[in-house]
Every structure is written in C-alpha cells, then in structure tokens.
Amino acid sequence: MVHPAPHHFRYSPRIDQALSFAAEKHAAQRRKGTAVPYIVHPVHVAWLLQSYGLDEDTVVAGILHDVLEDTATSRAELVAIFGEAVAETVWQCSEPDKSLPWEERKQGAVARMHAMTPAARAVSCADKAHNLHTIADSLDQGDQSVWQRFKRGPAAQLDYHRQALAALADGWTHPLLDELRAALARLEGRVPDSAG
C-alpha cells in the first residue's frame, strides 16, 4: 500500500455529523457478501482522504459517497445538511440508474470520471482503492469465493478498474492515484492471467 505523507487528524463536528448520518443511513446494510457493517467502508474512505490531506468538504463527501446511490437519501437532503459542495461531490460519485446492465453502468461511470471535479476524483480513488484492497485481503485469506459477490468476475472487474484509473488520471495528478494504482496492482498480482 502507498504510504501518504503524515497529516494530523483533525477533529471536526461536521465529520462527526457525517459519520452519524452515514451510520444511520447504512445501518441495515453489510459489505457485499459479508457480515461486515457497511459503515466500515465509508469510514475507511474518509480515513484515506484525511491521510492525504484533503479538505473537510471532501472528507465529509467521502463518508457520504454512497448515500445517494444506496439509500433513500435525496440530494436536497444533503444540500440542506452538508452544503452544495458536499452534495455535488457525492452526486458525481453516484451511479444514476442501478437498474441498467452492469456493463452499461460501468461504461457510463468511466465516461463521467473524465469530467469529475478534483474532489470527486479524490473520493472515487479512495473508494476504489479500499474496495480493491478488500478483495485482495479476501484472496489472501484463501477466499476464492469473493468473486461470487459481484455481478462480474475478475477479468471484467480488473478491466473496469483499469479504465477508471485512466479516466481519473485524465488531466488530474494526485498521490491518491498512486494509492489506487497500488491497490490495482496488488489485486492483479493475485489474479492469474490478469495482464491487461
């Protein structure tokens, strides 16, 4: 894993508020195919963002990045509580229609990444890096069934993440890209014939 430059962790009442909000919204959810409470993921995303020195709005958006996509939360609710900047970042990181076929959703996601703001790119990098590390951790523990949790297998997942990395790096440079590269390389090293 890439080791960011050390940053002092900042106490923030807005971050506390976002953690409480996300914990409530995701309360009944678990990480895909596991008993792990879903809130673990947005907390780790926020930790990565703060570790790399991102501002408070971006850290808050990292905590909330799945509430529009995976809960009944509305954009108006986010604007009212956390402000337009946070709501916009979360909106950019959300898939607009999860009823579409997986390939169509992921192609659309990659296309949108080219136009993301720097804040949304940072959140997306941290989100994807944590997801990839989590899959690699399962494989390291001998759990080959991890791929059954997803709509597509390792080849499609790796291809999507390679495309996402390229799109996020289009016109943007940040150490979080290296974090995502490292996570992708780690997973590629655990998947036979994953060269792409």
Side-chain angles (χ1 to χ4, degrees), residues 46-82:
W47 177 83
L48 276 172
L49 293 166
Q50 198 171 65
S51 294
Y52 280 92
L54 274 299
D55 62 85
E56 183 181 80
D57 274 349
T58 306
V59 174
V60 168
I63 294 167
L64 303 171
H65 76 275
D66 277 330
V67 296
L68 292 182
E69 187 173 308
D70 293 336
T71 79
T73 308
S74 69
R75 179 172 175 155
E77 188 177 2
L78 287 187
V79 171
I81 300 171
F82 299 103

Side-chain angles (χ1 to χ4, degrees), residues 77-151:
E77 188 177 2
L78 287 187
V79 171
I81 300 171
F82 299 103
E84 177 60 38
V86 168
E88 175 62 21
T89 298
V90 175
W91 180 260
Q92 288 188 31
C93 293
S94 302
E95 290 187 358
D97 186 354
K98 293 192 78 171
S99 70
L100 295 172
W102 188 87
E103 287 79 7
E104 190 173 340
R105 287 193 291 115
K106 297 311 177 186
Q107 287 168 7
V110 169
R112 290 190 300 277
M113 287 173 201
H114 289 280
M116 276 183 171
T117 61
R121 290 175 193 243
V123 171
S124 189
C125 277
D127 170 31
K128 288 169 176 47
H130 183 240
N131 284 336
L132 292 174
H133 280 304
T134 300
I135 297 170
D137 287 344
S138 292
L139 293 172
D140 285 351
Q141 293 162 14
D143 181 11
Q144 293 298 321
S145 70
V146 65
W147 297 113
Q148 295 172 15
R149 303 173 195 166
F150 303 97
K151 293 185 185 297

